[in-house]
Each structure stands twice: as C-alpha cells, then as structure tokens.
Amino acid sequence: MTEVLWLTGKLAGITTILLLLAATPLSWWLARGRSSLRTPVTALVALPIVLPPTVLGFYLLIALGPKSPLMVLLQPFGVRTLAFTFEGLVIGSLIYSLPFAVQPLRNAFIAIGDEPLEAAACLGASPWQRFWRVALPLSIPGYVAAAILVFAHTVGEFGVVMMLGGNIPGETTVLSTEIYRLVEALEWGDAHRLSLILLAFAFVVLFTLLALEARSKILLRTRT
C-alpha cells in the first residue's frame, strides 16, 4: 500500500509541476491574445473534459506504442515504447489534466484586467516585467487552484491510467487501479480503506477550493 501511495503521489506531483509550467504561457495567450485561433485552441484544450477517458487512453496507447511514428523516431535513442511505463503515465496525465490547469490560470489572467498592466507599461515596464511583477503576483490564487485541481484529478484518474499503463506493480499501479484490483480479488477490506482515503482527499480538496474562492471574494471586495 505504501508503494501505491508513493507512486500515486509521485505521478500527481510531477504532473502538477510540469502542467503549471506548460499551462502558463498557453493560458496567458488564451486570456490576453488577439488571435482568431483562441476559440478552437480553447476547445481543443478542454476536449479531455468531455472525451471518455478510455477513448483518450486508447489513442495514447497507440501513439506511445512501439509501432507508432513517434516511437519509430525515438527507437535510435533506445526508446522502443512508452506504453505501460511510468513515463507514459506522466504523458497521459499531462494531456488528461491539461484543462484543469489552463482554465483556472486563464480565468485568473482575465480577472487582472487591463488597468494594472497599462499602468505598469506607462511606468516603463517591459512585457516580461509586467508579467512577472504585476500579472503573476495577482494570479497566485489561480495558480493555487490549478495546482490543487491538477493534483486531485491526477490522483483520481482511472480510465487513462488503465488503458495506457495497465496495472503493473511498482511501475503503473496507482490508487485507482489498485482499488479496481482489490475489488476484482474480493478483498473488500483493503478496497474500503483505499476508497476512504480518496473520499477524504476529495473532501479536503473541495473544502480548500471553496475556502480559496471565499477568500478571493473578500479580497476583491476589499480592493474595490
């Protein structure tokens, strides 16, 4: 059980860090850009929300399998396949949890408005300085919400993990797939214990998000 908890936390932690880094420029462009491509890109980013996880997992399994064009390109470097590996799970989790990072960050960047950035520009701040010294500090609640959502979503994902990683002990077995295995083996006691852990975790996540939302509203009223 300790190994399963560690692997689940490792997967969720890596996914959260990588997504916060990758989603920042994408979210900024979606919030502040003027391109006509923003709408189709927004729809593409949000696709994992409505797409069945098994469908996404199936296509990722094909894309990361040994016969895919991507793996053919990587074979000279000693990479034959990423399917049924921890690295493959990370890639799948990044794609599956992408909208849960982008949406809170995009909303946070939109909520900043134009006035703070225009004021910084009038003071001679470069676009880079306006982002780091104005936009980023004002968007901290969005980053916190994105981190919590991505971590929680990765911990609870099942379909993509099962399709892409299977249930290999010590390699791809996480909490959700371990519960499935325990139920199949009729080990109800252990299944109950792991399920209660996820239930308690989900409650803490929702409670924290609601508390952050209430705090943000109080701060907004204070500023106005």
Side-chain angles (χ1 to χ4, degrees), residues 60-72 80-83:
L60 285 172
L61 182 62
I62 294 176
L64 300 180
K67 294 184 179 180
S68 76
L70 176 60
M71 291 299 104
V72 170
R80 181 176 177 273
T81 180
L82 290 174

Side-chain angles (χ1 to χ4, degrees), residues 178-190:
E178 178 65 5
I179 292 173
Y180 179 79
R181 185 194 69 80
L182 291 172
V183 171
E184 278 197 319
L186 301 180
E187 299 179 23
W188 302 104
D190 290 337

Side-chain angles (χ1 to χ4, degrees), residues 108-109 111-113 116-117 131-143 223:
F109 291 147
I112 293 172
L117 298 175
F131 176 79
W132 280 102
R133 298 183 180 180
V134 179
L136 189 60
L138 292 176
S139 304
I140 293 300
Y143 276 90
R223 289 174 184 172

Side-chain angles (χ1 to χ4, degrees), residues 26 32 74:
L26 177 58
R32 315 295 302 183
L74 293 178

Side-chain angles (χ1 to χ4, degrees), residues 204-217:
V204 171
V205 166
L206 291 175
F207 181 83
T208 303
L209 288 174
L210 290 173
L212 286 173
E213 182 182 9
R215 179 178 174 82
S216 298
K217 289 180 179 179

Side-chain angles (χ1 to χ4, degrees), residues 4-23:
V4 173
L5 290 172
W6 160 249
L7 195 63
T8 303
K10 180 182 176 182
L11 176 62
I14 292 174
T15 301
T16 300
I17 293 172
L18 292 179
L19 269 186
L20 289 181
L21 294 174

Side-chain angles (χ1 to χ4, degrees), residues 82-156:
L82 290 174
F84 304 107
T85 65
F86 180 79
E87 292 75 13
L89 284 189
V90 172
I91 295 174
S93 297
L94 289 174
I95 296 174
Y96 188 46
S97 295
L98 179 62
F100 295 90
V102 170
Q103 196 60 36
L105 294 183
R106 176 176 175 270
N107 291 340
F109 291 147
I110 291 175
I112 293 172
D114 295 327
E115 293 183 2
L117 298 175
E118 290 174 353
C122 291
L123 294 174
S126 66
W128 189 252
Q129 290 173 325
R130 293 199 294 271
F131 176 79
W132 280 102
R133 298 183 180 180
V134 179
L136 189 60
L138 292 176
S139 304
I140 293 300
Y143 276 90
V144 174
I148 293 174
L149 284 172
V150 169
F151 192 93
H153 190 250
T154 305
V155 167

